[in-house]
Amino acid sequence: RKEVEQDPGPFNVPEGATVAFNCTYSNSASQSFFWYRQDCRKEPKLLMSVYSSGNEDGRFTAQLNRASQYISLLIRDSKLSDSATYLCVVNISPNAGNNRKLIWGLGTSLAVNP
Amino acid sequence: NAGVMQNPRHLVRRRGQEARLRCSPMKGHSHVYWYRQLPEEGLKFMVYLQKENIIDESGMPKERFSAEFPKEGPSILRIQQVVRGDSAAYFCASSPPTANYGYTFGSGTRLTVV
């Protein structure tokens, strides 16, 4: 089983739709979680961290379920500019400050259509 | 406040030549990570360095690849005797020593071996 798994998609949705991505992780000692966005042929950029209580940033909501070991990303009122690959990232280091153990999912591809 | 700076952006090498990729971390960041992304594939961890120390090189190919992060100057990823299969995007990321907020990536170096 992969340490971090994502549905590769692609997800094709119309503008204005709500879309949700899930990501599962295998290591129960995982400490911190992130969603990154990567546009074609560009570097990954941090979209948001994922907190235990869940967090929201505009149209984006991230949730963490430690019991089931998954995180989710919800995008509401999707825009054409949301088209990208969304990467799930998990820090499995027992020391939450040790960044070197970031494990990356392969990403979920989203295409928002007019 | 410059971000992570990578150069060159594009590098073309003939088979058998050497490729040197440079990465200057963000100001205040002392941890550097190198990743490789092959076409249509996910990010693959290569090496994690702090100043003058290689902390984790578990993702580095056993031969031809080396990395350093000297006391002064940028981090260097060196690929000797390049082959076609080395063609990829090489991303560098940096982080501060104790933060737990993910990485900041540079724009990457696209290596093409002809």
Side-chain angles (χ1 to χ4, degrees):
Chain A
R1 182 185 175 189
K2 290 181 182 174
E3 291 182 281
V4 176
E5 289 201 75
Q6 296 182 249
D7 180 347
F11 285 63
N12 285 284
V13 303
E15 263 187 297
T18 295
V19 61
F21 307 137
N22 285 333
C23 166
T24 58
Y25 59 94
S26 61
N27 192 322
S28 60
S30 299
Q31 293 291 323
S32 53
F33 311 86
F34 310 91
W35 283 103
Y36 274 73
R37 169 194 170 130
Q38 185 174 26
D39 292 280
C40 185
R41 302 181 69 80
K42 298 284 185 65
E43 74 274 22
K45 292 185 178 177
L46 180 63
L47 181 63
M48 56 199 306
S49 301
V50 187
Y51 303 120
S52 296
S53 55
N55 48 302
E56 186 174 311
D57 182 2
R59 298 182 293 108
F60 298 83
T61 301
Q63 297 270 349
L64 166 64
N65 185 320
R66 285 192 183 273
S68 301
Q69 294 182 203
Y70 78 83
I71 67 173
S72 64
L73 177 68
L74 182 78
I75 305 175
R76 290 182 299 278
D77 188 23
S78 51
K79 312 291 185 190
L80 295 177
S81 58
D82 294 334
S83 299
T85 297
Y86 291 83
L87 301 164
C88 170
V89 188
V90 174
N91 182 340
I92 66 171
S93 177
N95 174 3
N98 184 346
N99 283 293
R100 71 183 179 96
K101 287 296 187 183
L102 288 188
I103 307 298
W104 295 72
L106 293 181
T108 297
S109 176
L110 171 66
V112 181
N113 305 305
Chain B
N1 184 16
V4 178
M5 304 300 292
Q6 286 189 251
N7 68 82
R9 290 292 300 273
H10 300 277
L11 182 61
V12 179
R13 284 288 177 264
R14 295 186 185 280
R15 280 179 295 173
Q17 290 184 319
E18 178 180 281
R20 289 168 62 95
L21 289 61
R22 296 175 186 77
C23 170
S24 296
M26 280 185 72
K27 188 176 181 181
H29 287 191
S30 56
H31 295 202
V32 167
Y33 314 81
W34 285 93
Y35 283 78
R36 176 165 64 173
Q37 189 169 35
L38 294 167
E40 308 303 324
E41 294 190 13
L43 282 168
K44 300 292 185 186
F45 169 77
M46 298 183 76
V47 62
Y48 161 46
L49 310 106
Q50 296 177 23
K51 286 281 186 181
E52 300 185 280
N53 279 307
I54 297 175
I55 307 301
D56 183 347
E57 55 182 347
S58 58
M60 288 280 270
K62 294 286 187 278
E63 297 176 348
R64 303 187 297 110
F65 285 72
S66 62
E68 62 177 3
F69 189 15
K71 186 176 180 181
E72 301 291 336
S75 175
I76 305 288
L77 178 68
R78 183 182 290 110
I79 311 172
Q80 295 177 304
Q81 299 176 327
V82 296
V83 300
R84 288 248 171 90
D86 297 332
S87 296
Y90 291 83
F91 291 104
C92 168
S94 72
S95 72
T98 58
N100 190 29
Y101 305 119
Y103 302 155
T104 301
F105 279 86
S107 300
T109 293
R110 298 201 173 273
L111 172 65
T112 302
V113 180
V114 297

